[in-house]
Amino acid sequence: MLLDEDPATLIHHTIGNFNISPDKFALGRINESLSTLKQARDLRVREAESAVKKLSRNLSTLQSHHSETLSTHNPADHASQILSLDTQKFRIAKTASDLEIEGERFEQELDGLKSKLQELEMQGVEGGEAERGKRELEDETLLKLKVYRSLGIDVESDQAGNYHKAIIRNNQKGDVHVVNIDPKFSRFFYANYFWQTM
């Protein structure tokens, strides 16, 4: 025999000199980690499989909807519908534009009427000075014409408003005189002439 001691004793001493408990503890932790990782991996695989099944169901539903839409879709109807909607859109746009223009015109008309109302309110019931003067002048002229007519004298005016002709009727004598009024003769001359004719 080569060895002085019993091999079993040597092996036993050799084993005693090795400290394998930390290695055994490390191997246990590694096995635990591997088991945890396997469980986590299995869980993720199951979740992924569930998500794939759900996506497959959604895909089949969308494909059936798509095929149904394609089977019911008619390009000619679609084009005519688009054309109809375009026509309606342009008609509505034109109507809106017309209404906008009419609204602006009404606003301008309203502004003009407001300014006219304000002007009339400032003038009052009698009207402004110019209107009162014009009315007084017209009243004076109408009064004169009424007096002339009561005496049997009708006067005619030209386009400018100037009196250029007088028609004198004498009912007692039964005659009519037409007198052309010339501005070079005075009013006194014509007054005497009318009295003599009447």
Side-chain angles (χ1 to χ4, degrees):
M1 204 167 167
L2 296 171
L3 299 174
D4 294 339
E5 293 183 25
D6 182 28
T9 306
L10 281 172
I11 291 172
H12 181 70
H13 284 300
T14 305
I15 289 171
N17 287 335
F18 284 112
N19 187 10
I20 60 169
S21 61
D23 294 337
K24 283 174 29 179
F25 182 70
L27 286 173
R29 277 185 311 165
I30 289 170
N31 282 335
E32 261 180 49
S33 296
L34 285 174
S35 172
T36 307
L37 283 173
K38 186 175 182 306
Q39 290 175 357
R41 182 181 170 280
D42 291 343
L43 180 64
R44 287 182 68 182
V45 166
R46 281 195 301 274
E47 287 175 354
E49 285 174 351
S50 171
V52 166
K53 286 177 184 175
K54 186 177 178 183
L55 289 172
S56 297
R57 285 194 301 271
N58 286 345
L59 177 63
S60 64
T61 305
L62 289 172
Q63 282 176 337
S64 65
H65 283 210
H66 180 257
S67 60
E68 183 182 340
T69 304
L70 285 178
S71 65
T72 58
H73 175 68
N74 188 349
D77 288 347
H78 179 70
S80 67
Q81 189 175 8
I82 292 292
L83 184 63
S84 170
L85 289 173
D86 279 346
T87 305
Q88 189 176 2
K89 178 180 76 171
F90 287 126
R91 191 176 301 128
I92 289 170
K94 184 182 181 310
T95 305
S97 175
D98 291 345
L99 288 174
E100 189 175 341
I101 291 168
E102 192 171 353
E104 289 175 1
R105 186 177 61 81
F106 282 149
E107 281 180 6
Q108 290 175 352
E109 192 174 332
L110 178 64
D111 289 342
L113 289 173
K114 281 181 181 175
S115 63
K116 185 72 175 173
L117 175 65
Q118 187 178 7
E119 183 182 328
L120 290 173
E121 284 176 349
M122 288 173 58
Q123 289 178 0
V125 179
E126 293 291 319
E129 291 295 323
E131 285 294 319
R132 257 195 304 276
K134 186 177 173 186
R135 200 166 44 248
E136 287 170 2
L137 185 62
E138 285 176 358
D139 290 345
E140 179 184 333
T141 306
L142 288 173
L143 187 59
K144 284 181 184 178
L145 289 174
K146 205 179 268 189
V147 169
Y148 289 149
R149 284 197 186 112
S150 68
L151 294 173
I153 303 170
D154 287 329
V155 290
E156 291 183 9
S157 60
D158 57 10
Q159 292 178 348
N162 299 322
Y163 298 104
H164 67 288
K165 188 186 289 185
I167 302 167
I168 304 166
R169 292 179 181 82
N170 190 336
N171 293 332
Q172 293 173 352
K173 296 179 184 177
D175 57 350
V176 176
H177 293 283
V178 178
V179 179
N180 288 322
I181 299 171
D182 194 342
K184 66 182 179 182
F185 296 109
S186 68
R187 292 183 180 184
F188 181 72
F189 169 77
Y190 284 112
N192 282 339
Y193 183 75
F194 292 165
W195 281 115
Q196 288 170 6
T197 309
M198 289 191 295

